[in-house]
Amino acid sequence: MSTAHDRERAWLLVTRREVVSRITDKSFLIGTVLMVAMIVGFIGFTAWQEERTDEATLGATPEAVAMAQAVADAAPQVDDKLEVRLVELDDDAAARAALEADEVDAWLHPVDGDWQLTSESSEQDSLTAATRVVVRQQVLADNAARVGSTVEELEAGSTVGTEFLRGDAERAAVAEAVGFVFVFLFYFAALVFGMQLASSVIEEKQSRIVEIIAAAIPLRHLLAGKVLGNTALALIQLLVYLAVGLVGLTFTPYKSYVPALSGPAAWFLAFFLAGFVALACLWAVAGSLASRTEDLQATSTPLTMLMLVMFFGGLSLDGRGQVIASFVPPVSAVVMPKRILAGGVDWWEPLAALGLLAAFALATVWVGERLYRRALLQTGGRVSLRQAWSAAE
């Protein structure tokens, strides 16, 4: 027989059971390890791509050797990840033979007063871009010399600079990439843990074990334990992913951004916690409304639609729409961390958005607890929201 003290601590026992049963489950551990491996692999590939140097072989017939040599010498100044090696060819026939034999990547030669870069079957993007810049500069310098001028004089006033109101382009690209990771991790965790939570509720209801549990502890304690247990698991897993990601970034050319990402990552954890609690409670309600596993798709459809709105809204919203959405729960759970990453957010905005999200979570827990308690013990088929809300205690 349970004592009053045991009943008061029932939510803690359920939480512990949820955490222990999942953290010792092989599928959970394997899934976590695989995700960590994917993160490490992606970061490793990114670092390799950034450090990798493209090597190109440029062929030139006698009349183009001087220009090709200029391209080979100046290419690293145009693209610091490109190295060009010059191969001198006797004539056009030798050039075509070298292309067909893959001895050169491209052949530079003059055509009707201009220059042409011929490749075997596909354009060499980095080599083509560098060649265009160098040839233009060389020809412009020659033409300027003929009229007694210089390239600098001819190009005076033609330079277009760039400026970013919120940092530089590289920082913006990093913020965009990390923002995508934040949105994906929230969606992934809410979907995976939510489905598992709902499934466990259905299993207990379908096997009628919940009736035995309800005789021993209050149902609100059962709900609290399930929500808190899954929230703890999701948070632990998320911390592992973020730690691996931030540590991994220190081995890439983007390591200078790691300190700047720590603050937004902490904000993301806070928004994740509030948003996940609300969604976890709704997943528990979706499970309680179903009487069989087959019913879950119908009872969880509104919730999955909401999560899709959050996912695509977090990825696609910008401008004024993004600002407004960053204060609208539960979408703010993914939108505000992205805005924080991008910069230009006043200090009070994350606090206000988090406060609204926390209020939404509390309201969701209150409504969800009532629906959960009143639907969980009804086994005569799928229960509608109206039936659950108006059912007797």
Side-chain angles (χ1 to χ4, degrees), residues 36-280:
V36 169
M38 288 176 60
I39 294 173
V40 172
F42 176 76
I43 292 175
F45 177 77
T46 301
W48 175 76
Q49 281 285 89
E50 290 296 324
E51 296 295 334
R52 185 171 66 94
T53 300
D54 289 333
E55 296 182 356
T57 305
L58 180 62
T61 42
E63 68 276 13
V65 168
M67 183 64 78
Q69 185 63 58
V71 172
D73 294 339
Q77 301 172 19
V78 178
D79 185 346
D80 59 1
K81 293 183 175 59
L82 176 64
E83 292 183 1
V84 177
R85 181 171 64 87
L86 173 62
V87 175
E88 297 186 21
L89 304 167
D90 295 335
D91 51 32
D92 292 0
R96 291 188 176 89
L99 284 172
E100 292 174 355
D102 288 332
E103 294 175 359
V104 296
D105 295 312
W107 163 38
L108 182 66
H109 55 109
V111 175
D112 298 330
D114 289 318
W115 292 91
Q116 183 168 300
L117 194 65
T118 302
S119 54
E120 203 273 327
S121 59
S122 61
E123 185 172 295
Q124 306 293 319
D125 294 335
S126 56
L127 177 58
T128 300
T131 301
R132 283 173 174 164
V133 170
V134 176
V135 168
R136 179 181 179 278
Q137 289 294 324
Q138 287 293 116
V139 172
L140 191 59
D142 292 343
N143 292 341
R146 290 194 188 97
V147 297
S149 182
T150 64
V151 174
E152 289 74 16
E153 290 176 350
L154 293 178
E155 291 185 335
S158 66
T159 302
V160 178
T162 57
E163 181 182 8
F164 298 90
L165 295 179
R166 297 181 180 178
D168 56 29
E170 188 176 74
R171 182 186 185 282
V174 172
E176 187 66 24
V178 176
F180 171 81
V181 172
F182 282 177
V183 174
F184 175 77
L185 286 178
F186 186 99
Y187 176 79
F188 178 79
L191 183 63
V192 171
F193 284 95
M195 287 292 290
Q196 291 172 348
L197 193 159
S199 297
S200 71
V201 172
I202 295 174
E203 289 173 5
E204 293 173 353
K205 182 176 180 178
Q206 192 171 4
S207 64
R208 307 185 79 91
I209 292 176
V210 70
E211 297 176 10
I212 301 174
I213 298 175
I217 64 173
L219 290 180
R220 60 171 57 91
H221 284 229
L222 178 61
L223 173 63
K226 285 184 174 293
V227 170
L228 291 175
N230 281 274
T231 301
L233 286 165
L235 194 59
I236 291 170
Q237 199 176 65
L238 185 65
L239 285 170
V240 171
Y241 297 156
L242 289 178
V244 170
L246 290 175
V247 171
L249 280 178
T250 62
F251 295 96
T252 72
Y254 304 112
K255 59 184 178 182
S256 60
Y257 295 107
V258 172
L261 292 175
S262 301
W267 276 111
F268 172 65
L269 289 173
F271 277 91
F272 175 86
L273 188 60
F276 186 87
V277 167
L279 292 178

